[in-house]
Amino acid sequence: MRLKEKTAIITGAGNGIGKEAALTFSREGANVVVADFDEAAAGAVVAELKEKGGNAIAVKVNVADQESVNNMVAEAVSAFGTVDILINNAGVTADAMLHKLSPQEWQKVIDVNLTGVFYCTQAVIPKMVEQGKGKIIMTSSVSGIYGNVGQTNYSASKAGVVGMTKSWAKELGGQGINVNAVAPGFVETGMVAKVPEKVIEKLKTTIPVNRLGKPADIANAYLFLASDESDYVNGAVLHVDGGIMM
Ligand code: CAA
Ligand code: NAI
């Protein structure tokens, strides 16, 4: 088991990639904090993990609300004593062409995808510094690296995540805390299900491996970055996108 007795907070773990990561981490021996705005989904994931013999708790959190984030970390520490791994996985889209993008759509995505990552990371750092070890994993996107039509807000947030990853890797690396990002391509989840079919069809022709990603493709990358195998990896952005752009 690669994460035996480690405690991992996974935000957005009620659905999609985060849910798959919760299943993967639990299989590898981690105590999993399934943190999500969608309380019912988080509860269902925890029930599944427990049925399979895992240790997990569900926590309702809005990552864009600092008080809610602090409560999430307090609940994790109260249940498992510590936090070893944080996966900043929760994220949202509100796609629109630039000329139609409203200030509300701009702000919502920035609040969750960028400010939320700041709140969650700041809240777990004291515990990790105290332990002299920790793993922070960020979720960027192909859209944050190369840009994407209709995603002004989202690509800004995901490019910002790369900037934070590198700043924190420099700031925290000396204290035993690794900070790395995964930049997924298009992955089969509820988020991509909202993309118009004509856009997906066009997209598929640009992916060298000839398929969209699966949640497990990303969960496996998270697992590597959460395990001791990646102790010398810091400030990296791991592209898991089938080679969509090079
Ligand atoms: N790549 C290339 N062309 C695109 C495109 C894309 N990603 N998205 C839209 N276009 C094109 C459309 O095909 C269309 O072209 P035509 O006029 O030649 O048909 C043109 O842009 C305008 O698009 P719409 O007619 O759909 O305009 P709209 O105002 O009704 O909708 C939109 C705009 C909301 C941006 C809609 O096109 C859309 O949802 N596009 C998909 C955006 C996208 O790729 N989102 C990714 C979500 S998944 C995700 O974000 C995960 C991740 O990290 C990758
Ligand atoms: P999803 O929509 O399937 O799941 C996202 C989860 O985050 C949901 O359970 C939702 O309730 C939760 N969430 C949303 N806002 C929240 C908030 N304020 N506080 C707490 N939880 C909140 O999305 P998916 O596809 O699993 O995405 C996971 C991450 O991967 C996101 O950061 C996304 O931007 C990123 N990503 C996804 C890609 C894809 O193609 N699906 C590609 C690249 C990156």
Side-chain angles (χ1 to χ4, degrees), residues 17-53:
I17 294 169
K19 175 181 176 182
E20 188 65 30
L23 290 162
T24 304
F25 277 41
S26 184
R27 223 168 29 237
E28 293 294 337
N31 303 318
V32 182
V33 179
V34 178
D36 205 296
F37 193 61
D38 181 344
E39 202 172 7
V45 172
V46 167
E48 190 174 339
L49 297 183
K50 285 190 170 163
E51 202 180 294
K52 292 179 168 151

Side-chain angles (χ1 to χ4, degrees), residues 1-242:
M1 286 197 183
R2 292 157 76 184
L3 301 178
K4 200 164 165 42
E5 282 158 26
K6 302 278 188 194
T7 295
I9 297 179
I10 306 175
T11 66
N15 292 288
I17 294 169
K19 175 181 176 182
E20 188 65 30
L23 290 162
T24 304
F25 277 41
S26 184
R27 223 168 29 237
E28 293 294 337
N31 303 318
V32 182
V33 179
V34 178
D36 205 296
F37 193 61
D38 181 344
E39 202 172 7
V45 172
V46 167
E48 190 174 339
L49 297 183
K50 285 190 170 163
E51 202 180 294
K52 292 179 168 151
N55 285 332
I57 58 164
V59 178
K60 180 178 167 69
V61 68
N62 175 5
V63 296
D65 175 338
Q66 193 169 27
E67 198 184 326
S68 171
V69 166
N70 291 342
N71 286 340
M72 167 187 78
V73 175
E75 283 194 49
V77 172
S78 150
F80 300 119
T82 192
V83 179
D84 303 288
I85 300 155
L86 167 69
I87 308 196
N88 281 309
N89 170 82
V92 292
T93 53
D95 294 349
M97 298 309 229
L98 173 59
H99 65 283
K100 292 186 191 165
L101 183 67
S102 70
Q104 291 76 15
E105 286 165 328
W106 165 264
Q107 201 57 50
K108 179 185 173 197
V109 171
I110 296 298
D111 285 350
V112 175
N113 296 8
L114 199 58
T115 311
V117 171
F118 157 57
Y119 288 156
C120 291
T121 308
Q122 194 179 52
V124 299
I125 285 310
K127 266 283 162 205
M128 292 185 178
V129 169
E130 193 184 301
Q131 294 167 179
K133 189 163 167 83
K135 302 275 190 178
I136 308 285
I137 297 154
M138 315 276 270
T139 312
S140 181
S141 162
V142 65
S143 303
I145 311 288
Y146 303 108
N148 190 20
V149 175
Q151 292 205 295
T152 299
N153 48 1
Y154 183 83
S155 58
S157 72
K158 294 299 186 180
V161 161
V162 171
M164 290 195 287
T165 301
K166 295 184 178 187
S167 292
W168 295 340
K170 288 182 174 172
E171 210 173 303
L172 300 166
Q175 297 176 82
I177 301 168
N178 301 66
V179 188
N180 293 292
V182 175
F186 286 77
V187 182
E188 288 167 348
T189 68
M191 188 176 270
V192 163
K194 287 188 250 165
V195 177
E197 192 55 36
K198 65 177 177 183
V199 175
I200 290 291
E201 285 314 312
K202 218 189 298 182
L203 250 168
K204 276 188 186 159
T205 64
T206 66
I207 306 172
V209 302
N210 242 345
R211 66 168 176 90
L212 298 183
K214 294 187 186 312
D217 293 317
I218 311 308
N220 288 331
Y222 286 163
L223 175 59
F224 169 64
L225 293 174
S227 74
D228 291 344
E229 292 152 32
S230 61
D231 277 356
Y232 203 59
V233 182
N234 191 33
V237 181
L238 179 54
H239 294 215
V240 185
D241 59 12

